[in-house]
Amino acid sequence: MKITAAVVPARSAPFEIQQLDLTGPQPDEVLVRIVASGMCHTDLHARDGYFANLPYPIVCGHEGAGIVEEVGAAVTDLMPGDPVVISFPWCGECEPCAAGHISYCANARALKSGGKRADGSTPISRNGAPVYSCFFQQSSFATFAVAPAKDVVKIRRDAPIEMLGPLGCGLQTGAGAVLNVMRPREGQSLVVFGVGGVGLAGLMAGRIAGCDPIVAVDRLPARLVLARELGATHALESRGAETLAHIRKITGGGAHFALETSAVPAVFRLAVDALRGLGTCVLVGSARAGTEVSIEMPWLQGGRTVRGVIQGDSNPREFIPRLVDLFMEGRFPLDRLVTSYDFADINRAAADATSGAAIKPVLKLPH
Ligand SMILES: [Zn+2]
Ligand SMILES: [Zn+2]
């Protein structure tokens, strides 16, 4: 079938809207009519060549939301007409997958940025020549996408599907880091470093868990204003040692939990230094390979934990419907983070994501 998709023709080149050909779903896949797709910084990292194994030209996009158009012969738990969010890929066969920790799948790298299906095939082509796709096994910057059925999450019909794509990656990353990994008790303190889409999702989750105080730290004043509106009790502009002193005062000696979303080494160090004894810092920001940070060893010995988390440690088929319920109850107002763009304006959306003018761009696909 013919699709309209945004192609990155070569490393660091702008997105280009093209007409391409897409083959139908394999037996274990579904074909989804994409209504809207979130844009995540990972898409821009892919455009700019952060992934060593990424081939070009490629169709990116990994926060797709839409309606199931067709299901493969072996798919029994989804039907045409189902509203769905497409989440991250996992192999189902490696040790982490077998243990239920699917976001740490040992084969994730190839499945996310190899440009192909696990079997090496590519469903997208142009005039007979393959265009790499299968970005996160979905490539949702397109009017239609095929995805493994197991990565696809059915969404309640009364929810606004055009808003929910970001739950597939960025928002479940932040919310899951708090609700699935930190699991704070009511009244424990949370400091969020970097209040973009991931950080704000973590902040909203902290409010759901009853964290108090909730401190937002960022370099952009406009984001701090929004963070206050979404539940931060305190908002601090990022200023190194001065910020650390403020956090220690606000939290009565250090935070129970710190969420690091910026992937900036100096900020990560600040997040670790902001912990009280027995406190936990969760790192979710993705830095380029080779990025290092120094941490004082005696500080860690004070019972402090530093751990990295991917995709909020979540099982999307359980966690995303839970977040949708919270959204529908008004307790997880993700609509406040979303800026909608026409698909044709994808390069403007990318520029706004980079500058911080948009927290979570969502592209509306034309049909
Ligand atoms: Zn796996
Ligand atoms: Zn992402």
Side-chain angles (χ1 to χ4, degrees):
M1 68 188 295
K2 292 286 177 196
I3 62 168
T4 303
V7 178
V8 180
R11 180 175 176 170
S12 297
F15 295 101
E16 222 173 72
I17 308 285
Q18 296 181 358
Q19 308 300 311
L20 305 174
D21 296 296
L22 175 71
T23 57
Q26 291 189 346
D28 60 348
E29 290 179 337
V30 295
L31 173 70
V32 178
R33 174 168 59 85
I34 303 293
V35 172
S37 176
M39 176 182 274
C40 182
H41 285 283
T42 306
D43 296 306
L44 306 181
H45 291 170
R47 178 196 62 185
D48 297 336
Y50 275 36
F51 299 101
N53 56 336
L54 195 78
Y56 300 93
I58 190 163
V59 178
C60 295
H62 63 287
E63 291 183 342
I67 307 294
V68 174
E69 184 84 3
E70 188 184 336
V71 302
V75 176
T76 55
D77 51 5
L78 291 164
M79 291 202 326
D82 285 344
V84 292
V85 165
I86 313 174
S87 195
F88 60 83
W90 49 290
C91 78
E93 286 160 13
C94 68
E95 185 178 315
C97 281
H101 297 292
I102 60 174
S103 65
Y104 307 96
C105 173
N107 296 302
R109 190 179 170 84
L111 293 173
K112 287 175 178 173
S113 58
K116 299 170 182 178
R117 291 186 176 103
D119 69 7
S121 64
T122 53
I124 297 183
S125 59
R126 188 186 193 204
N127 303 325
V131 172
Y132 294 104
S133 59
C134 303
F135 190 64
F136 281 62
Q137 297 298 304
Q138 56 174 293
S139 291
S140 60
F141 291 165
T143 46
F144 291 87
V146 291
K150 71 181 192 337
D151 308 349
V152 171
V153 182
K154 196 168 157 177
I155 301 297
R156 56 192 265 188
R157 283 180 187 274
D158 59 341
I161 195 70
E162 69 278 5
M163 202 91 80
L164 302 181
L167 288 172
C169 178
L171 302 187
Q172 87 175 341
T173 291
V178 173
L179 296 175
N180 298 330
V181 179
M182 295 176 184
R183 297 174 172 267
R185 291 193 307 275
E186 215 175 303
Q188 289 189 310
S189 49
L190 170 67
V191 185
V192 179
F193 292 85
V195 282
V198 174
L200 288 170
L203 191 150
M204 294 191 292
R207 190 174 65 166
I208 289 164
C211 289
D212 186 22
I214 299 176
V215 185
V217 181
D218 202 289
R219 61 193 166 85
L220 297 177
R223 290 190 171 184
L224 292 172
V225 171
L226 181 59
R228 288 296 291 261
E229 290 170 15
L230 293 176
T233 58
H234 301 75
L236 304 175
E237 275 189 59
S238 195
R239 287 205 192 99
E242 188 191 326
T243 308
L244 184 59
H246 279 304
I247 292 170
R248 286 187 175 149
K249 190 161 173 222
I250 292 163
T251 56
H256 290 96
F257 297 102
L259 178 64
E260 202 309 285
T261 73
S262 75
V264 176
V267 178
F268 181 36
R269 172 66 193 256
L270 188 64
V272 175
D273 287 348
L275 295 174
R276 67 173 59 201
L278 295 172
T280 297
C281 174
V282 170
L283 168 74
V284 295
S286 37
R288 270 188 197 247
T291 307
E292 295 188 353
V293 66
S294 68
I295 292 169
E296 201 189 329
M297 289 167 71
W299 187 249
L300 278 189
Q301 264 193 305
R304 294 173 180 85
T305 301
V306 176
R307 73 160 284 190
V309 170
I310 297 178
Q311 294 286 352
D313 221 1
S314 81
N315 178 336
R317 283 195 166 188
E318 290 165 11
F319 193 54
I320 290 176
R322 186 175 150 207
L323 292 177
V324 172
D325 287 346
L326 288 164
F327 167 65
M328 296 299 279
E329 291 164 15
R331 299 172 67 200
F332 190 74
L334 63 90
D335 53 311
R336 299 289 310 278
L337 317 185
V338 166
T339 306
S340 284
Y341 294 82
D342 287 333
F343 191 50
D345 295 328
I346 183 169
N347 287 304
R348 188 161 61 85
D352 289 354
T354 302
S355 73
I359 288 173
K360 177 49 80 176
V362 170
L363 304 165
K364 293 176 287 177
L365 276 301
H367 285 283

